[in-house]
Amino acid sequence: MPSDRIEPVIIRDSNDLPTGKDIQNIIIHMQPPPKKGIHWAVIVLFLALALAVVGVIWASVVYTELHEYRKTVTAMDTNLKKIDRPIPVHYPAGTSAAFPPSQTLRLMGTINDGQVRYIAQSNNSQVYVTIPMTDCKIVSGSPVCHYQGKSVTRFTG
C-alpha cells in the first residue's frame, strides 16, 4: 500500500521553489534580512560612556580647585600666625598704657555725703564702687577716674 503521507518540501532560498510540480505542502524557511544601521543599544552605551568621561573630568577639575583653595587658605592662615605683633589698643582720652580702659566698670554719676565721690557700676549691675575725687580729672569735658590700675569713664565697661 502506497504511503498516503506527503513529505513536505523545505525551501531555504527563493531560487529553490519548485516549478511545474503539484506542490501540496510547502514550508518556506528563510533567514530574516540582516539589520542595517546603528543599534540603539550602541548609541545608549556611547552616551553613557561620554557622560561618565565628562563626570570624571568635572570631578577632577572641582577637586583641583578645592585643593588650590585649601592651599591658599592654609598659606594665608600660616602668614597670619607668623605675625606676632600685638593688636593696637585704642586709648580714649584720659587713658594710657599705664591706665588702660576698664572692661568692667562705668561711671554712673556722683554722690555727696559730705564728701563728693564718683560712683561706678559693673557690667552686670551687681557691684557699685565709689572713687574719690582726688583720683579723677576732667578730660575733654568728661570725668576720667583711675581705679585699681584702670581708667573708668562714662563710656568704659
Side-chain angles (χ1 to χ4, degrees):
M1 171 163 154
S3 164
D4 288 337
R5 185 173 170 177
I6 301 173
E7 292 294 323
V9 176
I10 298 175
I11 300 172
R12 297 191 187 277
D13 190 10
S14 61
N15 295 333
D16 293 343
L17 285 173
T19 56
K21 289 186 179 175
D22 183 24
I23 301 174
Q24 295 180 359
N25 289 337
I26 298 177
I27 297 175
I28 300 175
H29 182 56
M30 297 177 69
Q31 294 292 328
K35 293 183 180 179
K36 295 183 178 167
I38 300 175
H39 297 288
W40 285 106
V42 173
I43 293 173
V44 169
L45 184 63
F46 176 76
L47 289 176
L49 183 62
L51 186 61
V53 167
V54 168
V56 166
I57 292 171
W58 178 77
S60 67
V61 167
V62 167
Y63 176 78
T64 304
E65 288 177 359
L66 183 61
H67 183 69
E68 290 297 321
Y69 174 74
R70 284 185 180 167
K71 282 186 356 186
T72 304
V73 168
T74 302
M76 286 176 22
D77 191 35
T78 303
N79 288 338
L80 288 176
K81 287 180 183 176
K82 287 180 184 176
I83 301 172
D84 276 341
R85 291 180 293 168
I87 297 173
V89 177
H90 172 69
Y91 294 108
T95 65
S96 65
F99 292 99
S102 172
Q103 300 296 316
T104 57
L105 294 175
R106 176 176 46 196
L107 291 179
M108 301 303 292
T110 59
I111 58 170
N112 188 352
D113 56 353
Q115 177 184 346
V116 178
R117 292 178 286 184
Y118 281 99
I119 186 162
Q121 178 184 15
S122 68
N123 289 343
N124 56 12
S125 302
Q126 302 266 336
V127 176
Y128 293 90
V129 294
T130 58
I131 304 171
M133 288 289 258
T134 56
D135 293 340
C136 302
K137 61 183 174 181
I138 303 295
V139 178
S140 298
S142 292
V144 177
C145 300
H146 297 301
Y147 179 76
Q148 295 184 347
K150 302 285 184 180
S151 295
V152 182
T153 68
R154 290 186 179 144
F155 310 106
T156 60

